[in-house]
Amino acid sequence: MKFTLKDYQEEAVQNVLENLKKASLRWHEDKDIHAFSLAATTGAGKTVMAAAVFEALFYGEDNYDFEPDSGAVVVWFSDDPSLNEQTRFRLMEASDRLDHSDLVVVQSNFCEEQLSPGKVYFLNTQKLGKKSLLVRGHEEYGSQTNMFKTVRPDLRANTIWDTITNTIEDPNLTLYLVLDEAHRGMGRNTARDKKDKTTIVKKLINGFGTVPAIPVVLGISATVDRFNVAMEDAQSEGRSLLPNVEVDSKKVQESGLLKDNIMLEIPENVGSFDSVLLSRAVDKIKEISQLWEEYDRIQDSNKPVKPLLVFQVPNTPDEEDIGKSIDLILQNWADIDIGAIAHVFGERASIRFGNYEIPHISPERVQESSHIRVLIAKDAISTGWDCPRAEVMVSFRPAQDKTHITQLMGRMVRTPLARRISGNEKLNSVSCLLPFFDTKTVNDVAKKLMEGAHDGEGRIEGRKILIDSIELIPNDSVSKNVWQKFLELPSQTLPKRSTKPIKRLTALAHELSSDGLLEDAGKLAHSELHKVLDAAQVRYSDKIEESRSKVLNVEGLSLKLNMETGEKTFNDFVEEADFRVIDNAFRRAGRLFSSDLAKTYSEYLAEKNSNNEIDEDSLIDAYVEVAALSLCEDVIEYVEHEANKLSREWFSKYRVDIRGLNDERRDVYNEILAWSRLPHDVDLIKPTSWMVATTILNENDEKEPIPEFEKHLMVNPANKLFPFKVGSSWEEKVLEVELGRKDVLYWYRNPSHQGLDSLGIPYEIDSKPAMVRPDFIFFSKGKNGEIAVDIVDPHGIHFEDALPKLDGLVAYAKQYKNTYRRIESIAKVGGKFRVLDLMNDSVCEAILKSENPEELFMSDVAFDYE
């Protein structure tokens, strides 16, 4: 893969492959047919996950312990040929193994006896319609005479249905069907629909006539409700359902692939195509464009972001009015010309708006066409495409079109660089101006966006919907000493996945070499591991000798049956292993050590044992040795320990150099650092821009201003205040008490999201790492004039993780006792606010022994909070 997969993507790919392996095995053994789905919210990277699945399916993948399926054939099916083309392009973009020849678009002239293994074939609904050349002459659609079956109207030897049938019936092949946007094309789920003629896609899944059902079906979509219902219908045909693979939307949001903030504005008293409102939208796109230019310049980026303004109009717009709007856009945005404007109307041709001839562009081409900076759209642009660089939308559609708004917003949720820009929320946001929407309608839109962009995609945890938002910047009255104290606070982040230490070291070596920090780091890493394996041969020689015997000798049982008496006898046998057996054992070693290390160490051994000339015999001997090493658990543990040790040394040695790289490169190292079983240390960064709401909608859908507070590190530059909706009486009590202290200088509302501007403290629940982000950090003037830091965390005692979080805070307090003046946990019990002082050893001891958090706060180790 060209991309490093996110942790949730790795997990999903692993689960998909396990299902495919089961389904393939059961098909070939018992002719059982199976189906399941991969469900992930819009923006989760479903095509990237599919690319990883196909690579493993065709070529195998050590990291998933997955052997290649030499007979694998994939049909990718959607209801839109343009989406297929976009998917094909993205698969090539993501994969370093799949090329043009592996990804075949099935055209009308396609006429193969059967599909070839190791390829993905792209089909769409139109290609299987009655009038399509691909199906003409098939027995269902034409004459039933034997002559007509052999001589098609267009003289082709095989229809696509023949090709599919032949592929399924070949015992050496396994046909996998992938349904893109699986909720589409399945037919409506009503009683009337079930009586209607089955849809094309159902025929493809379930088979019909002489065409058999496809053995393995995988649905990929944001929602798979219709797919699941269709598959339940198919169970009567003998298809079994495997567990669906569902991606947690919270993990997607935390990954940084999705924008954190959707900012909604409701300007009042505007008319049709209001020039003031459009000018405001242009000002917003100009501002965000300038911010991206500055960011790209500082980062020395080779992937500059060119933000897009989406201008949405009614279904029957006045073309002269649109022409006037284009006039205004060009007048107010000097950096673009008429060539930067396109439309995506249903009329797939240029349209004249006033004095301008505006070309059409296909929706799926908008993202790659970075010269397009203004996109004119009507109602919802079809699902299945997205445009991460679409950052501002102004809609002149009527208020009843809230569904169209949410659908279009669903196309704009991805972050432009597929990662969060830490500390700068403006670059992680999308703006939407809705002049014809009242507050109640906007509230409905906001709820729908929180629950998923369209079609019930599932709640997107971590996304904020901001109404009448403003930008907060660092408080210029805060001294450098306070900010420096903030930056020095010890923070951690969660491991993203547990990766084999050898692969982690190899990945780190590759990046260090790419950045010129350590020349030939890959060779150096393998050289060091060769030394480790040499040492292991000495240290575990007896165990390795036993393992070598297992590699060279195949043990088994032979059955002898007496035909007269029916008596069975079993005899042990031992056969000398042939090259095939040795090769299989060596490939297994590659999955444990990594195929690269197994290869380089076997060559190293062969060269060393044959006077620097590698021959076939010495290489086979080396294969045996590597296979024997891999069968010894002590050797695996020893090598992995040493690989982890070297990774830690390199991370420590090049820490300052890595910090000097741009954001994109630092994020790569942070990803590799997170490939661990344990949380890891990270440096906090100073936030530069936060986006917050200034109003909320009450129960009557009326706007209410959000309260503002003094002394926060991030403030509204207009009045130096911090808008903050206090979430509970607990938070209200903390602010009342702490801001009332005479020595308090400033405070910080610690963000709840996973970012480098948020202080994270690890804890464990059910033996799994988790993260608590304490709500408040206060900076005060200490006794000797130094800056004192306090953590005060209102602590929910009714949650199941209440005690584990306290345990994590205790461990953190013990480790960093000299960093803080106070670390306190607050809870309301028995009508009183109580506090636990986590800097007190006896309190910490009581916490670690406690089994009931409420009793803990009511006991003598807690005090009234005031």
Side-chain angles (χ1 to χ4, degrees):
M1 290 291 291
K2 295 176 185 175
F3 302 149
T4 300
L5 269 61
K6 304 293 184 181
D7 58 326
Y8 70 84
Q9 292 173 332
E10 287 273 7
E11 184 179 351
V13 169
Q14 176 81 64
N15 292 335
V16 167
L17 289 171
E18 287 176 1
N19 275 358
L20 293 180
K21 186 176 182 179
K22 290 176 186 176
S24 175
L25 185 65
R26 293 171 185 175
W27 163 249
H28 287 288
E29 287 186 349
D30 302 313
K31 295 303 176 185
D32 289 342
I33 56 178
H34 292 79
F36 68 99
S37 58
L38 168 61
T41 186
T42 296
K46 291 184 282 289
T47 310
V48 172
M49 289 185 269
V53 167
F54 297 155
E55 280 193 357
L57 198 60
F58 296 156
Y59 303 104
E61 176 53 59
D62 296 340
N63 201 41
Y64 305 123
D65 196 16
F66 189 86
E67 290 281 355
D69 181 349
S70 59
V73 181
V74 176
V75 170
W76 184 285
F77 189 89
S78 83
D79 60 359
D80 189 336
S82 62
L83 291 183
N84 275 353
E85 189 56 41
Q86 183 186 33
T87 299
R88 182 172 177 269
F89 172 78
R90 285 188 176 173
L91 289 173
M92 287 189 292
E93 187 179 40
S95 172
D96 53 8
R97 291 183 173 183
L98 304 174
D99 58 28
H100 291 275
S101 63
D102 298 323
L103 307 172
V104 181
V105 177
V106 177
Q107 304 291 3
S108 297
N109 61 353
F110 184 87
C111 184
E112 299 291 337
E113 184 175 355
Q114 65 182 30
L115 303 177
S116 300
K119 295 184 183 297
V120 180
Y121 292 88
F122 291 90
L123 264 175
N124 60 76
T125 312
Q126 296 90 326
K127 290 290 195 302
L128 296 183
K130 291 181 179 180
K131 298 181 180 179
S132 169
L133 289 176
L134 285 174
V135 303
R136 284 176 60 187
H138 188 271
E139 57 195 67
E140 185 196 10
Y141 298 115
S143 166
Q144 297 298 309
T145 66
N146 290 332
M147 180 185 74
F148 197 77
K149 291 180 185 178
T150 55
V151 182
R152 314 292 181 179
D154 54 0
L155 300 180
R156 67 176 61 220
N158 300 283
T159 68
I160 190 62
W161 294 117
D162 296 327
T163 305
I164 289 172
T165 300
N166 294 336
T167 304
I168 294 172
E169 292 179 346
D170 188 329
N172 297 315
L173 299 179
T174 311
L175 182 57
Y176 302 88
L177 173 65
V178 178
L179 292 179
D180 186 18
E181 291 294 332
H183 61 293
R184 306 176 67 180
M186 301 300 291
R188 298 182 302 277
N189 299 311
T190 65
R192 178 180 177 182
D193 293 323
K194 292 180 180 178
K195 296 179 182 178
D196 291 344
K197 183 178 179 181
T198 54
T199 60
I200 289 174
V201 68
K202 283 186 178 179
K203 293 175 182 175
L204 185 62
I205 294 170
N206 300 333
F208 64 97
T210 60
V211 178
I214 287 185
V216 187
V217 179
L218 165 61
I220 298 183
S221 180
T223 176
V224 291
D225 293 341
R226 293 181 185 175
F227 172 79
N228 286 342
V229 170
M231 291 301 100
E232 288 171 6
D233 292 344
Q235 283 184 284
S236 62
E237 306 293 330
R239 188 179 298 276
S240 300
L241 299 183
L242 291 169
N244 291 333
V245 178
E246 298 185 33
V247 174
D248 185 347
S249 63
K250 183 178 180 181
K251 290 183 178 180
V252 181
Q253 191 69 47
E254 288 177 348
S255 73
L257 283 181
L258 302 184
K259 291 166 182 168
D260 291 327
N261 304 315
I262 296 178
M263 302 181 292
L264 303 180
E265 290 192 23
I266 323 163
E268 299 177 352
N269 302 318
V270 298
S272 178
F273 297 101
D274 187 275
S275 59
V276 174
L277 181 61
L278 189 56
S279 295
R280 178 166 175 77
V282 173
D283 288 343
K284 282 181 172 292
I285 195 67
K286 286 167 59 180
E287 180 189 16
I288 199 69
S289 295
Q290 185 176 353
L291 288 173
W292 275 116
E293 284 180 13
E294 183 179 350
Y295 180 82
D296 292 336
R297 178 181 55 79
I298 293 173
Q299 298 296 319
D300 193 22
S301 173
N302 58 1
K303 298 178 182 177
V305 176
K306 301 293 182 183
L308 178 77
L309 168 65
V310 179
F311 176 30
Q312 195 179 34
V313 301
N315 280 347
T316 55
D318 185 304
E319 294 175 356
E320 290 300 318
D321 282 344
I322 295 179
K324 292 176 183 177
S325 296
I326 294 173
D327 273 333
L328 186 146
I329 292 171
L330 294 175
Q331 289 169 11
N332 290 9
W333 196 357
D335 292 341
I336 69 167
D337 57 26
I338 192 62
I341 303 176
H343 77 83
V344 284
F345 290 5
E347 302 89 331
R348 296 177 177 270
S350 296
I351 298 178
R352 190 160 192 83
F353 299 119
N355 298 322
Y356 305 102
E357 193 78 17
I358 302 300
H360 172 269
I361 185 171
S362 298
E364 68 276 2
R365 289 186 51 234
V366 174
Q367 173 62 18
E368 66 190 65
S369 304
S370 58
H371 67 284
I372 300 298
R373 307 299 301 279
V374 179
L375 188 68
I376 307 173
K378 286 185 182 178
D379 53 9
I381 302 173
S382 64
T383 57
W385 72 282
D386 55 70
C387 188
R389 62 188 187 89
E391 302 222 328
V392 178
M393 181 181 78
V394 57
S395 175
F396 289 99
R397 295 188 66 81
Q400 62 264 30
D401 282 352
K402 60 187 178 185
T403 298
H404 297 318
I405 296 291
T406 53
Q407 284 184 325
L408 180 54
M409 293 298 290
R411 305 298 100 215
M412 303 168 66
V413 297
R414 288 191 190 228
T415 48
L417 298 177
R419 56 184 172 85
R420 178 179 288 110
I421 309 301
S422 291
N424 192 331
E425 290 192 357
K426 203 154 198 174
L427 297 182
N428 301 318
S429 305
V430 59
S431 296
C432 185
L433 288 78
L434 307 173
F436 298 143
F437 284 57
D438 57 23
T439 52
K440 183 181 185 307
T441 309
V442 167
N443 198 22
D444 291 341
V445 170
K447 287 178 180 177
K448 200 163 187 179
L449 289 169
M450 286 294 290
E451 293 170 355
H454 65 279
D455 259 347
E457 292 183 1
R459 181 172 177 80
I460 311 294
E461 297 187 50
R463 178 185 294 169
K464 292 184 292 184
I465 309 296
L466 308 177
I467 298 175
D468 298 336
S469 61
I470 60 169
E471 181 183 13
L472 304 184
I473 63 173
N475 189 339
D476 58 13
S477 66
V478 177
S479 68
K480 289 183 179 180
N481 290 339
V482 172
W483 277 117
Q484 186 59 38
K485 200 73 175 177
F486 170 82
L487 295 175
E488 291 172 354
L489 297 180
S491 181
Q492 289 192 319
T493 191
L494 284 176
K496 296 194 175 179
R497 65 173 182 266
S498 182
T499 300
K500 293 177 180 177
I502 297 170
K503 182 171 183 178
R504 182 172 181 246
L505 174 63
T506 303
L508 174 59
H510 173 76
E511 302 305 335
L512 289 172
S513 183
S514 296
D515 289 318
L517 302 181
L518 180 59
E519 190 175 350
D520 291 330
K523 291 182 179 178
L524 181 58
H526 276 218
S527 176
E528 292 298 316
L529 292 178
H530 293 172
K531 295 175 185 176
V532 172
L533 286 166
D534 283 347
Q537 292 206 55
V538 176
R539 178 178 294 192
Y540 304 106
S541 58
D542 292 343
K543 293 182 179 180
I544 293 171
E545 187 59 37
E546 292 178 15
S547 298
R548 187 182 294 108
S549 176
K550 292 178 182 179
V551 174
L552 290 173
N553 297 289
V554 179
E555 298 179 1
L557 290 175
S558 63
L559 169 64
K560 184 179 181 180
L561 176 63
N562 188 311
M563 300 300 292
E564 293 183 5
T565 64
E567 183 181 357
K568 298 177 183 177
T569 56
F570 294 89
N571 298 308
D572 295 329
F573 72 84
V574 178
E575 293 284 347
E576 187 174 336
D578 58 16
F579 177 75
R580 181 182 60 82
V581 173
I582 293 172
D583 186 55
N584 285 337
F586 175 72
R587 286 194 289 125
R588 177 187 178 278
R591 294 196 296 274
L592 294 171
F593 285 132
S594 87
S595 55
D596 285 343
L597 179 60
K599 180 176 181 294
T600 60
Y601 190 61
S602 62
E603 291 173 350
Y604 160 80
L605 287 177
E607 186 175 351
K608 185 173 70 171
N609 296 331
S610 59
N611 297 321
N612 299 325
E613 291 186 9
I614 300 178
D615 54 36
E616 185 176 344
D617 290 339
S618 63
L619 197 57
I620 292 174
D621 289 342
Y623 281 7
V624 170
E625 197 65 31
V626 172
L629 285 164
S630 73
L631 292 176
C632 181
E633 292 184 7
D634 289 340
V635 172
I636 298 294
E637 185 177 338
Y638 174 58
V639 175
E640 289 185 344
H641 176 270
E642 293 301 309
N644 265 333
K645 181 180 176 182
L646 185 55
S647 292
R648 288 194 299 270
E649 289 175 1
W650 283 358
F651 270 120
S652 177
K653 183 175 182 179
Y654 298 101
R655 180 178 60 87
V656 175
D657 295 313
I658 291 170
R659 190 181 295 177
L661 301 172
N662 64 25
D663 285 358
E664 180 180 9
R665 295 303 302 155
R666 285 204 308 273
D667 280 354
V668 171
Y669 286 99
N670 284 336
E671 285 283 338
I672 297 172
L673 188 61
W675 295 355
S676 171
R677 295 182 180 88
L678 300 172
H680 56 279
D681 297 334
V682 292
D683 295 324
L684 289 176
I685 66 167
K686 179 181 177 180
T688 58
S689 171
W690 280 4
M691 303 305 299
V692 298
T694 58
T695 61
I696 58 171
L697 299 178
N698 62 22
E699 295 177 356
N700 299 318
D701 292 315
E702 298 170 337
K703 285 186 182 180
E704 286 185 359
I706 290 177
E708 296 178 308
F709 293 83
E710 296 180 332
K711 299 183 178 180
H712 196 272
L713 294 186
M714 300 292 290
V715 295
N716 178 352
N719 59 12
K720 305 296 184 184
L721 298 177
F722 175 67
F724 178 54
K725 173 65 172 70
V726 179
S728 66
S729 61
W730 299 23
E731 290 183 344
E732 187 176 359
K733 179 66 173 179
V734 169
L735 289 176
E736 175 191 335
V737 171
E738 299 300 329
L739 293 181
R741 300 189 191 280
K742 293 181 181 180
D743 60 350
V744 69
L745 298 172
Y746 299 101
W747 65 289
Y748 188 74
R749 179 58 170 89
N750 195 39
S752 58
H753 64 248
Q754 180 174 303
L756 296 181
D757 57 344
S758 175
L759 175 67
I761 298 174
Y763 68 98
E764 275 196 4
I765 180 168
D766 298 329
S767 301
K768 294 181 180 179
M771 192 67 61
V772 57
R773 299 186 184 277
D775 288 344
F776 299 108
I777 304 172
F778 293 92
F779 298 85
S780 303
K781 188 174 182 179
K783 294 180 180 179
N784 300 319
E786 79 283 0
I787 305 298
V789 185
D790 303 323
I791 287 178
V792 183
D793 187 38
H795 193 77
I797 57 175
H798 54 289
F799 296 116
E800 65 177 356
D801 61 356
L803 279 175
K805 281 183 177 178
L806 281 173
D807 291 344
L809 288 170
V810 166
Y812 183 82
K814 286 183 176 180
Q815 186 174 0
Y816 300 110
K817 208 163 194 174
N818 296 329
T819 302
Y820 296 94
R821 182 179 63 178
R822 290 187 296 146
I823 297 180
E824 296 182 343
S825 182
I826 313 296
K828 189 176 184 180
V829 292
K832 288 186 176 182
F833 286 98
R834 303 277 285 173
V835 56
L836 291 171
D837 178 7
L838 304 184
M839 305 292 274
N840 184 299
D841 290 340
S842 60
V843 173
C844 291
E845 186 177 345
I847 290 173
L848 296 177
K849 291 180 179 179
S850 176
E851 295 181 358
N852 187 314
E854 185 173 358
E855 291 179 359
L856 189 63
F857 277 96
M858 294 179 66
S859 70
D860 292 340
V861 298
F863 298 90
D864 290 342
Y865 178 61
E866 56 188 17

